[in-house]
Coordinates of all heavy atoms in Angstrom, one line a residue:
L198 N -35.7 -81.9 159.2 CA -36.5 -82.0 160.4 C -35.8 -81.3 161.6 O -36.4 -80.4 162.3 CB -36.7 -83.4 160.8 CG -37.6 -83.7 162.1 CD1 -39.0 -83.1 161.9 CD2 -37.7 -85.2 162.3
G205 N -38.3 -78.5 162.1 CA -39.3 -78.8 161.0 C -40.7 -79.0 161.5 O -41.7 -78.6 160.8
I206 N -40.8 -79.5 162.7 CA -42.2 -79.7 163.3 C -42.9 -78.3 163.4 O -44.1 -78.1 163.2 CB -42.1 -80.5 164.6 CG1 -41.6 -81.9 164.3 CG2 -43.5 -80.6 165.2 CD1 -42.4 -82.7 163.4
T207 N -42.1 -77.3 164.0 CA -42.6 -76.0 164.1 C -43.1 -75.5 162.8 O -44.2 -74.8 162.6 CB -41.6 -75.1 164.8 OG1 -41.3 -75.6 166.0 CG2 -42.2 -73.7 164.9
F208 N -42.2 -75.7 161.8 CA -42.5 -75.2 160.4 C -43.8 -75.8 159.9 O -44.7 -75.1 159.4 CB -41.3 -75.6 159.6 CG -41.3 -75.1 158.1 CD1 -42.0 -73.9 157.8 CD2 -40.6 -75.7 157.2 CE1 -42.1 -73.5 156.5 CE2 -40.5 -75.2 155.9 CZ -41.4 -74.0 155.6
I209 N -44.0 -77.1 160.0 CA -45.1 -77.7 159.3 C -46.4 -77.3 160.1 O -47.5 -77.2 159.6 CB -45.0 -79.2 159.2 CG1 -46.1 -79.8 158.3 CG2 -45.1 -80.0 160.6 CD1 -46.0 -81.2 157.9
K210 N -46.3 -77.2 161.4 CA -47.5 -76.8 162.2 C -48.0 -75.4 161.7 O -49.2 -75.2 161.5 CB -47.1 -76.6 163.7 CG -47.1 -78.0 164.4 CD -46.7 -77.9 165.9 CE -46.8 -79.2 166.6 NZ -46.5 -79.1 168.0
I211 N -47.1 -74.5 161.5 CA -47.5 -73.2 160.9 C -48.0 -73.3 159.6 O -49.1 -72.7 159.2 CB -46.3 -72.2 161.0 CG1 -45.8 -72.0 162.4 CG2 -46.6 -70.8 160.3 CD1 -44.4 -71.2 162.5
V212 N -47.4 -74.0 158.7 CA -47.8 -74.2 157.3 C -49.3 -74.8 157.3 O -50.1 -74.3 156.5 CB -46.9 -75.2 156.5 CG1 -47.6 -75.6 155.2 CG2 -45.6 -74.4 156.3
R213 N -49.6 -75.7 158.2 CA -50.9 -76.4 158.1 C -52.0 -75.5 158.7 O -53.2 -75.9 158.5 CB -50.8 -77.7 158.8 CG -50.0 -78.8 158.1 CD -50.5 -79.0 156.7 NE -49.7 -80.0 156.0 CZ -49.4 -80.0 154.7 NH1 -49.8 -78.9 154.0 NH2 -48.7 -80.9 154.1
T214 N -51.7 -74.4 159.4 CA -52.7 -73.6 159.9 C -53.0 -72.4 158.9 O -54.0 -71.6 159.2 CB -52.2 -72.9 161.2 OG1 -51.0 -72.2 161.1 CG2 -52.1 -74.1 162.3
N219 N -51.6 -74.5 153.4 CA -52.0 -75.9 153.8 C -52.1 -76.9 152.7 O -51.7 -78.1 152.9 CB -53.4 -75.8 154.6 CG -53.9 -77.2 155.0 OD1 -53.2 -77.9 155.6 ND2 -55.1 -77.5 154.6
F223 N -45.9 -81.4 151.8 CA -44.8 -81.0 152.7 C -44.1 -82.3 152.9 O -44.6 -83.3 153.5 CB -45.4 -80.5 154.0 CG -44.3 -79.8 154.9 CD1 -44.3 -78.5 155.1 CD2 -43.4 -80.6 155.5 CE1 -43.4 -77.9 155.9 CE2 -42.4 -80.0 156.3 CZ -42.4 -78.7 156.5
F225 N -40.6 -84.2 154.5 CA -39.4 -84.1 155.3 C -38.3 -85.0 154.7 O -38.6 -86.1 154.3 CB -39.8 -84.6 156.7 CG -40.4 -83.6 157.7 CD1 -41.7 -83.7 158.1 CD2 -39.7 -82.4 158.0 CE1 -42.3 -82.8 158.9 CE2 -40.3 -81.4 158.8 CZ -41.6 -81.6 159.3
D235 N -39.7 -90.0 165.0 CA -39.8 -88.8 164.2 C -40.7 -88.9 163.0 O -41.5 -88.0 162.7 CB -38.4 -88.4 163.7 CG -37.6 -87.7 164.8 OD1 -38.2 -87.3 165.8 OD2 -36.4 -87.4 164.6
R236 N -40.7 -90.1 162.4 CA -41.6 -90.3 161.2 C -43.1 -90.2 161.7 O -43.8 -89.5 161.0 CB -41.3 -91.7 160.7 CG -42.2 -92.0 159.4 CD -42.0 -93.5 159.0 NE -40.6 -93.6 158.5 CZ -40.2 -93.4 157.3 NH1 -41.1 -93.1 156.3 NH2 -39.0 -93.6 156.9
R237 N -43.4 -90.9 162.8 CA -44.8 -90.8 163.2 C -45.2 -89.4 163.6 O -46.3 -88.9 163.2 CB -45.0 -91.7 164.4 CG -45.1 -93.2 164.1 CD -45.7 -93.9 165.3 NE -44.9 -93.7 166.5 CZ -43.8 -94.5 166.8 NH1 -43.4 -95.5 166.0 NH2 -43.1 -94.3 167.9
L238 N -44.4 -88.7 164.3 CA -44.7 -87.3 164.7 C -44.9 -86.5 163.4 O -45.8 -85.6 163.4 CB -43.6 -86.7 165.5 CG -43.8 -85.3 166.0 CD1 -45.0 -85.1 166.8 CD2 -42.5 -84.9 166.8
A239 N -44.0 -86.6 162.4 CA -44.1 -85.7 161.3 C -45.4 -86.0 160.5 O -46.0 -85.1 160.0 CB -42.9 -86.0 160.3
L240 N -45.7 -87.3 160.4 CA -46.9 -87.6 159.6 C -48.2 -87.2 160.3 O -49.2 -86.8 159.7 CB -46.9 -89.1 159.3 CG -45.8 -89.6 158.4 CD1 -45.8 -91.1 158.2 CD2 -45.8 -88.9 157.1
E241 N -48.1 -87.3 161.7 CA -49.3 -86.8 162.5 C -49.6 -85.4 162.3 O -50.7 -84.9 162.4 CB -49.1 -87.2 164.0 CG -49.2 -88.7 164.3 CD -48.7 -89.0 165.7 OE1 -48.3 -88.1 166.4 OE2 -48.7 -90.2 166.0
E242 N -48.4 -84.6 162.0 CA -48.6 -83.2 161.9 C -49.0 -82.8 160.4 O -49.1 -81.6 160.1 CB -47.3 -82.5 162.2 CG -46.9 -82.5 163.7 CD -48.0 -81.9 164.6 OE1 -48.7 -81.0 164.1 OE2 -48.0 -82.2 165.8
G243 N -49.1 -83.8 159.6 CA -49.6 -83.5 158.2 C -48.6 -83.6 157.1 O -48.8 -83.2 156.0
A244 N -47.3 -84.2 157.4 CA -46.4 -84.4 156.4 C -46.9 -85.3 155.3 O -47.6 -86.3 155.6 CB -45.1 -84.9 156.9
T245 N -46.6 -85.0 154.1 CA -47.0 -85.8 153.0 C -46.1 -87.1 152.9 O -46.6 -88.2 152.6 CB -46.9 -85.1 151.6 OG1 -47.5 -83.8 151.7 CG2 -47.4 -85.9 150.4
S275 N -56.6 -82.9 153.7 CA -56.1 -84.0 154.6 C -54.9 -83.6 155.3 O -54.6 -84.2 156.3 CB -55.8 -85.2 153.7 OG -54.7 -85.0 152.9
G276 N -54.1 -82.6 154.8 CA -52.9 -82.3 155.4 C -51.8 -83.3 155.1 O -50.6 -83.1 155.5
G277 N -52.1 -84.3 154.4 CA -51.1 -85.2 153.9 C -51.5 -86.0 152.7 O -52.5 -86.8 152.8
E280 N -49.5 -90.3 153.1 CA -48.7 -90.3 154.3 C -47.7 -91.5 154.5 O -46.6 -91.4 154.9 CB -49.6 -90.3 155.5 CG -50.4 -89.0 155.6 CD -51.4 -89.0 156.7 OE1 -51.6 -90.1 157.3 OE2 -52.1 -88.0 157.0

Side-chain angles (χ1 to χ4, degrees):
L198 182 61
I206 295 299
T207 301
F208 187 21
I209 194 172
K210 283 181 176 179
I211 297 172
V212 166
R213 291 305 181 217
T214 61
N219 177 51
F223 192 112
F225 278 114
D235 277 351
R236 180 186 295 271
R237 281 196 303 271
L238 178 59
L240 297 175
E241 286 169 2
E242 294 295 341
T245 309
S275 67
E280 297 175 352

